[in-house]
């Protein structure tokens, strides 16, 4: 099976596979088999990040798999992300070099700013916290960070740069000040949070949109009873039955058919292979209408936590977003 032929074209001219393997929450003892299975299935796109804490294990697995299967580095598309504690322009290059060393690579195909807001640097902590459990923030502007990102392209250490979790106004802010414009915007996107306006915005500016949690990430730590059930939704189940496909395949086909890159995370060979079987059918206009009629529900925003590490809830029992008071918090905008 060849998945490499199904791509989105970046403004750099590079081809980005429409389907990738996400690595968030993949454990060290699971990654090797997951990556080998993905590459054997035909995946050529891996999505990584420093904050996932597993890039060194991804690197070991990649090295082994490439040697075993005879795949060239040039055949792969590897993404990583700059974490929130490294937004100072002087920290951008060291952060990338650390990811490259962990991944055992000479360059990245894509490097993203993980979030528009910055955390303070404190003793190497990924999540620096005050005694009350709140995050210690920094006020570094993401456009200053972007200048550091541009320098990485100049050095040949990454082929393209982009953004993650930015709203459209913040993306425009970067574009207006950029010497090298963003190639990709990665955001939460799934049948319950379809991002139609943001997709149209990205396409109009030559930016490829990547959907993280395209299957709603059912194992996320902050799942709540009010969250919809992707795999038990009647409309999605009916569409899946009609096409003799799984609900996961319908959800992923929904993305790639719109020109959206999808990066489902899995460490199970069976699901990795099943997720790849989405290029042999198409959703009808009625299928798209049915999916677009699902109630909108965002699930990917991490909650604030107290000293006991439990989520903080508002008066209505809804989780309070962790970073909502930061001046660069992106999710107060409609898109």
């Amino acid at each position: 099976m060849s998945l490499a032929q199904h791509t989105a074209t970046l403004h750099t001219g590079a081809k980005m596979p429409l389907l990738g393997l996400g690595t968030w929450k993949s454990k060290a003892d699971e990654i090797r088999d997951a990556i080998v299975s993905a590459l054997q299935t035909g995946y050529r796109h891996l999505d990584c990040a420093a904050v996932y804490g597993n890039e060194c294990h991804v690197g070991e697995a990649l090295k082994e798999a490439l040697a075993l299967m005879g795949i060239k580095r040039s055949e792969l598309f590897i993404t990583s992300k700059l974490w929130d504690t490294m937004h100072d322009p002087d920290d951008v290059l060291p952060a990338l070099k650390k990811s490259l060393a962990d991944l055992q690579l000479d360059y990245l195909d894509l490097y993203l700013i993980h979030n528009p807001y910055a955390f303070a640097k404190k003793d190497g902590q990924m999540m620096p916290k005050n005694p009350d459990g709140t995050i210690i923030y920094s006020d570094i502007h993401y456009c200053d960070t972007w200048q550091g990102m541009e320098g990485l392209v100049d050095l040949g250490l990454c082929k393209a740069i982009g953004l993650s979790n930015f709203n459209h106004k913040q993306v425009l802010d970067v574009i207006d000040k950029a010497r090298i414009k963003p190639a990709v915007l990665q955001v939460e996107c799934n049948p319950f949070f379809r991002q139609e306006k943001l997709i149209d915005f990205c396409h109009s500016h030559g930016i490829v949109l990547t959907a993280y949690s395209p299957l709603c990430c059912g194992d996320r730590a902050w799942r709540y009873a009010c969250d919809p059930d992707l795999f038990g939704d009647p409309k999605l189940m009916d569409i899946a039955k009609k096409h003799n496909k799984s609900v996961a395949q319908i959800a992923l086909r929904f993305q790639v058919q719109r020109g959206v890159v999808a990066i489902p995370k899995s460490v199970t060979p069976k699901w990795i292979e099943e997720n790849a079987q989405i290029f042999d059918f198409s959703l009808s206009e009625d299928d798209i209408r049915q999916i677009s009629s699902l109630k909108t529900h965002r699930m990917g925003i991490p909650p604030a936590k107290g000293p006991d590490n439990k989520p903080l809830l508002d008066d209505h029992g809804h989780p309070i977003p962790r970073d909502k008071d930061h001046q660069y918090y992106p999710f107060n905008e409609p898109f």
Side-chain angles (χ1 to χ4, degrees):
M1 180 188 299
S2 175
L3 302 179
Q5 62 183 310
H6 304 286
T7 62
T9 302
L10 306 187
H11 70 69
T12 62
K15 303 293 186 180
M16 182 178 187
L18 283 170
L19 184 68
L21 180 70
T23 60
W24 181 47
K25 298 185 71 176
S26 295
K27 298 175 183 177
D29 60 350
E30 301 171 326
I31 281 183
R32 186 263 178 200
D33 289 347
I35 288 178
V36 169
S37 176
L39 292 176
Q40 288 176 335
T41 299
Y43 287 72
R44 294 296 181 265
H45 175 188
L46 296 179
D47 183 84
C48 312
V51 75
Y52 298 168
N54 58 13
E55 287 191 327
C56 60
H57 304 295
V58 172
E60 286 294 334
L62 262 179
K63 181 181 179 181
E64 179 183 346
L66 294 184
L68 178 69
M69 302 172 65
I71 298 172
K72 298 178 181 178
R73 167 65 181 95
S74 59
E75 298 176 47
L76 301 179
F77 191 100
I78 310 292
T79 299
S80 188
K81 307 177 193 75
L82 177 78
W83 184 235
D84 303 352
T85 54
M86 305 299 283
H87 276 213
D88 188 299
D90 291 336
D91 289 331
V92 174
L93 178 57
L96 175 62
K97 286 185 173 180
K98 175 66 163 60
S99 282
L100 288 175
D102 286 345
L103 293 168
Q104 302 189 42
L105 300 174
D106 296 324
Y107 69 91
L108 290 176
D109 297 277
L110 178 65
Y111 198 43
L112 308 176
I113 299 179
H114 208 136
N115 289 296
Y117 45 79
F119 295 169
K121 286 184 69 175
K122 183 181 179 183
D123 303 325
Q125 298 176 38
M126 289 288 192
M127 306 289 290
K129 293 182 179 180
N130 294 300
D132 64 358
T134 58
I135 297 291
I136 306 173
Y137 294 105
S138 166
D139 61 0
I140 297 171
H141 197 283
Y142 48 81
C143 284
D144 295 331
T145 307
W146 188 254
Q147 291 181 358
M149 299 284 283
E150 291 173 325
L152 305 179
V153 179
D154 297 335
L155 293 170
L157 296 176
C158 57
K159 303 294 186 182
I161 49 179
L163 307 167
S164 175
N165 293 315
F166 281 55
N167 63 46
H168 83 286
K169 290 184 177 180
Q170 293 171 327
V171 176
L172 279 176
D173 195 15
V174 173
I175 290 174
D176 288 344
K177 298 177 176 65
R179 178 170 55 86
I180 301 172
K181 83 171 188 177
V184 170
L185 174 63
Q186 186 178 128
V187 293
E188 176 188 1
C189 189
N190 55 64
F192 299 112
F193 199 66
R194 294 169 292 280
Q195 298 276 26
E196 292 97 340
K197 290 183 177 179
L198 193 56
I199 291 170
D200 289 344
F201 165 82
C202 285
H203 287 173
S204 71
H205 287 83
I207 297 171
V208 170
L209 189 135
T210 297
Y212 71 70
S213 298
L215 303 180
C216 299
C217 191
D219 64 347
R220 64 193 178 280
W222 54 86
R223 190 174 183 180
Y224 302 97
C226 62
D227 290 342
D229 177 13
L230 179 83
F231 298 100
D233 182 85
K235 290 183 178 179
L236 294 174
M237 292 173 69
D238 285 346
I239 296 170
K241 183 177 180 180
K242 168 185 167 183
H243 290 280
N244 195 28
K245 291 289 184 176
S246 69
V247 168
Q249 290 168 326
I250 297 302
L252 295 173
R253 179 67 202 182
F254 176 65
Q255 302 295 1
V256 301
Q257 192 163 315
R258 300 189 298 167
V260 172
V261 175
I263 47 170
K265 172 260 178 181
S266 180
V267 294
T268 305
K270 176 183 177 181
W271 303 135
I272 290 171
E273 183 174 354
E274 180 184 289
N275 289 344
Q277 296 168 358
I278 58 173
F279 296 106
D280 58 353
F281 76 106
S282 295
L283 298 174
S284 68
E285 291 184 5
D286 184 62
D287 294 335
I288 298 295
R289 279 195 295 270
Q290 290 296 317
I291 296 172
S292 298
S293 72
L294 296 173
K295 185 178 180 180
T296 299
H297 189 92
R298 177 171 235 151
M299 291 173 272
I301 301 177
K305 294 183 179 180
D308 58 1
N309 206 37
K310 293 182 179 180
L312 299 178
L313 307 178
D314 62 20
D315 293 339
H316 303 286
H318 298 142
I320 299 172
R322 184 189 64 201
D323 307 303
K324 70 179 183 65
D325 293 327
H326 195 284
Q327 60 182 325
Y328 304 135
Y329 179 73
F331 302 131
N332 292 324
E333 292 293 326
F335 69 99

